[in-house]
């Protein structure tokens, strides 16, 4: 009798553990375990835009860099993220998506698209927002560099 | 008249509130006086805290009703300092906090209510978990600072962090990533702890001077150092080093 009750109790306590291990979507785990485009580009290169953003709510930092060719097309993208699985997956996916796009097309990228692709739960939506902010920051850094370059060229 | 003079509580209440019934106390007829007292007492008890079971007026920090001895609901659930009945300050004494916590749980832990009514069991359950949350929050300086700032009406949400500071944090994270030996990690952990202690003392003085803007900035800095600390601990744990 006592044994039966214990086994029942064990069954109950084991249930939540199973749920926890399955909480990340397969796409997140894929990007987390095999992150694409990890690394750095030369931030002094005038064709490289660097975006560095942080999430004060969780203490995550994300660096995203893009390399743009003379036709305004993003030829390379790299990221480095110190944060949770969702933040790493979001930035990994973001670098994959912006590659091959033009600067204007990349600006259209929304955090909701990232969240949808990775099936992020509501508590992790801010990770995808961080990735969007990182892209925007990298693009604006690139534009500022190009403008100052134009100025020096005309002078 | 004698019936009323044996009720010192009545006298105290009436005198302290300088109610006009008290002024006319001796001139009034018994019946009239009773009526006045009834309305007076009704309005008083509506504004005061009462026992959910017998209606006896209670103080805010009393856990049990003085009349029927049943467990009371928490008075203020949003202020963790009030929940644990400790002074609302950042410079909290960890020992007295733990003492307060143990005292409370000694009375309201659900284990003590397994034979009591459903209502009391429910109160015990929610109250006890509230006290747990309060203790876990106030115990950790970072969480305590965030809670205290929230009580001042300031929330930490989407804030833009200074780019220079982010660069520094990125570099620190890269150092952790590049660390090869456990000694390297421990050194980085020590460095990080010193930084966090510095922020702690800054927080303390900023709270004292009510510099809430600066408190917010320091809390955000602390968050980043805290996540570095957790990363170092995780790496050390992966290598089987637990301290």
């Amino acid at each position: 009798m006592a044994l039966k009750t214990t086994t029942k109790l064990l069954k109950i306590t084991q249930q939540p553990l199973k749920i926890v291990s399955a909480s990340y979507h397969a796409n997140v785990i894929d990007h987390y375990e095999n992150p694409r485009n990890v690394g750095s580009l030369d931030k002094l290169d005038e064709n490289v835009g660097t975006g560095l953003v942080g999430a004060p709510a969780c203490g995550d930092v994300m660096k995203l860099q893009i390399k743009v060719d003379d036709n305004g097309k993003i030829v390379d993208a790299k990221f480095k993220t110190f944060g949770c699985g969702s933040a790493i997956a979001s930035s990994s996916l973001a670098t994959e998506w912006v590659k091959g796009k033009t600067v204007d097309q990349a600006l259209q990228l929304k955090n909701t698209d990232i969240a949808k692709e990775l099936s992020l739960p509501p508590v992790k939506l801010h990770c995808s927002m961080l990735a969007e902010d990182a892209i925007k920051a990298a693009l604006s850094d690139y534009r500022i560099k190009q403008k100052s370059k134009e100025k020096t060229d005309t002078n | 008249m004698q019936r009323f003079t044996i009720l010192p509580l009545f006298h105290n209440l009436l005198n302290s509130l300088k109610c006009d019934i008290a002024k006319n106390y001796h001139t009034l007829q018994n019946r009239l006086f009773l009526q006045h007292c009834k309305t007076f007492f009704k309005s008083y008890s509506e504004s005061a805290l009462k026992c959910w079971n017998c209606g006896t007026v209670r103080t805010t920090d009393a856990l049990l009703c003085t009349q029927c001895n049943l467990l009371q609901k928490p008075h203020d659930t949003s202020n963790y300092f009030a929940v644990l009945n400790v002074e609302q300050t950042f410079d909290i004494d960890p020992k007295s906090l733990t003492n307060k916590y143990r005292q409370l749980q000694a009375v309201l832990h659900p284990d003590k209510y397994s034979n009591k009514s459903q209502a009391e069991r429910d109160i015990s359950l929610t109250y006890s978990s509230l006290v747990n949350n309060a203790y876990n929050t106030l115990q950790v300086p970072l969480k305590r600072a965030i809670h205290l700032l929230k009580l001042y009406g300031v929330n930490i949400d989407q804030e833009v962090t200074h780019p220079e500071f982010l660069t520094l944090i990125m570099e620190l994270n890269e150092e952790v990533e590049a660390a090869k030996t456990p000694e390297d990690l421990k050194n980085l952990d020590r460095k990080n702890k010193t930084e966090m202690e510095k922020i702690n003392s800054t927080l303390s003085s900023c709270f004292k001077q009510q510099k809430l803007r600066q408190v917010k900035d320091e809390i955000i800095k602390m968050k980043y150092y805290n996540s570095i600390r957790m990363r170092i601990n995780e790496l050390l744990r992966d290598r089987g080093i637990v301290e």
Side-chain angles (χ1 to χ4, degrees):
Chain A
M1 179 59 200
L3 198 67
K4 259 187 187 171
T5 345
T6 335
T7 351
K8 258 187 200 166
L9 275 174
L10 268 176
K11 269 180 197 160
I12 295 165
T13 46
Q14 272 170 359
Q15 268 171 352
L17 294 174
K18 274 183 204 159
I19 300 166
V20 169
S21 65
S23 63
Y24 275 126
H25 190 266
N27 287 351
V28 178
I29 295 169
D30 179 34
H31 273 278
Y32 178 69
E33 285 177 347
N34 315 295
R36 280 62 137 182
N37 311 312
V38 178
S40 291
L41 299 169
D42 179 15
K43 65 174 177 187
L44 299 175
D45 185 340
E46 56 193 19
N47 287 326
V48 170
T50 305
L52 183 60
V53 289
C58 48
D60 290 357
V61 266
M62 189 182 281
K63 185 175 78 175
L64 199 146
Q65 292 178 303
I66 47 159
K67 189 171 187 167
V68 187
D69 71 2
D70 297 333
N71 305 319
K73 198 172 157 191
I74 299 169
V75 287
D76 201 3
K78 296 274 181 206
F79 84 93
K80 210 164 200 186
T81 295
F82 295 100
C84 64
S86 303
I88 292 170
S90 295
S91 40
S92 172
L93 182 68
T95 52
E96 236 182 12
W97 276 358
V98 293
K99 263 197 195 178
K101 287 204 165 85
T102 64
V103 171
D104 293 318
Q105 281 169 342
L107 265 177
Q108 305 297 316
L109 195 77
K110 288 276 171 296
N111 78 292
T112 43
D113 302 329
I114 298 172
K116 208 172 162 188
E117 173 74 14
L118 297 175
S119 304
L120 294 180
V123 285
K124 288 288 175 188
L125 283 181
H126 68 275
C127 298
S128 60
M129 279 182 223
L130 201 61
E132 187 192 317
D133 289 346
I135 295 174
K136 297 250 160 81
L139 291 168
S140 94
D141 181 53
Y142 168 75
R143 287 200 162 157
I144 291 165
K145 270 186 183 168
Q146 291 302 305
K147 266 183 195 160
S148 61
K149 183 186 155 193
E150 275 166 28
K151 262 185 199 168
T152 44
D153 283 353
T154 46
N155 285 343
Chain B
M1 278 319 281
Q2 224 182 348
R3 276 163 60 195
F4 296 102
T5 49
I6 54 161
L7 290 171
L9 176 72
F10 258 89
H11 284 267
N12 282 343
L13 286 173
L14 297 174
N15 287 337
S16 66
L17 289 166
K18 291 190 177 137
C19 180
D20 36 359
I21 322 165
K23 284 181 199 161
N24 307 319
Y25 176 65
H26 292 289
T27 57
L28 283 166
Q29 295 288 316
N30 266 5
R31 265 181 68 193
L32 190 64
F33 179 65
L34 244 175
Q35 211 180 346
H36 271 276
C37 281
K38 261 186 190 165
T39 48
F40 165 71
F41 220 102
K42 208 178 157 212
S43 65
Y44 173 76
S45 57
E46 266 166 7
S47 65
L49 274 173
K50 287 184 297 182
C51 169
W52 56 272
N53 181 51
C54 65
T56 311
V57 179
R58 65 183 186 101
T59 53
T60 52
D61 55 346
L63 293 176
L64 303 174
C65 173
T66 48
Q67 202 64 40
C68 62
N69 214 29
L70 289 192
L71 184 63
Q72 298 300 301
K73 286 175 193 160
H75 159 63
D76 186 350
T77 54
S78 56
N79 185 336
Y80 287 163
F81 293 92
V83 168
L84 290 176
N85 198 14
V86 291
E87 193 195 343
Q88 188 174 320
T89 167
F90 180 70
D91 304 296
I92 218 162
D93 175 29
K95 263 190 187 167
S96 66
L97 184 75
T98 308
N99 279 342
K100 278 271 160 70
Y101 168 71
R102 289 195 181 138
Q103 280 167 18
L104 284 171
Q105 289 295 28
V107 178
L108 41 90
H109 196 276
D111 283 356
K112 304 201 179 286
Y113 293 87
S114 50
N115 295 329
K116 300 286 172 69
S117 69
Q118 186 65 42
E120 254 193 307
R121 283 213 302 262
D122 288 347
I123 296 175
S124 156
L125 206 66
T126 47
Y127 205 153
S128 172
S129 86
L130 173 72
V131 166
N132 275 339
N133 284 341
Y135 180 61
N136 291 337
T137 304
L138 296 192
Q139 209 188 13
V140 185
L142 174 62
K143 291 184 185 171
R144 191 197 311 146
I146 294 170
H147 182 67
L148 187 54
L149 191 65
K150 203 175 144 193
L151 292 177
Y152 284 120
V154 185
N155 279 317
I156 300 196
D157 24 61
Q158 292 301 312
E159 287 285 316
V160 180
T161 325
H162 290 293
E164 297 84 26
F165 180 73
L166 277 180
T167 317
L168 171 74
I169 289 296
M170 199 76 200
E171 280 165 9
L172 287 173
N173 271 308
E174 281 169 349
E175 269 181 49
V176 173
E177 196 187 33
K180 287 199 174 68
T181 62
E183 270 60 47
D184 288 347
L185 282 173
K186 278 182 192 168
N187 279 336
L188 287 170
D189 194 34
R190 239 167 275 145
K191 238 173 84 184
N192 198 57
K193 260 186 196 144
T194 330
E195 262 337 292
M196 286 178 85
E197 274 158 22
K198 260 192 229 163
I199 297 177
N200 242 343
S201 56
T202 320
L203 271 177
S204 164
S205 64
C206 287
F207 265 120
K208 269 184 204 138
Q209 295 163 43
Q210 297 274 306
K211 289 180 180 164
L212 297 184
R213 177 68 242 180
Q214 209 184 331
V215 164
K216 197 173 176 173
D217 289 344
E218 293 297 317
I219 288 177
I220 290 172
K221 274 189 193 171
M222 186 90 123
K223 284 239 178 192
Y224 287 104
Y225 282 111
N226 193 45
S227 72
I228 293 176
R229 185 184 68 94
M230 299 216 292
R231 202 153 294 135
I232 295 174
N233 284 343
E234 205 183 304
L235 287 171
L236 283 172
R237 255 204 314 276
D238 286 350
R239 296 180 189 195
I241 301 157
V242 185
E243 275 178 26

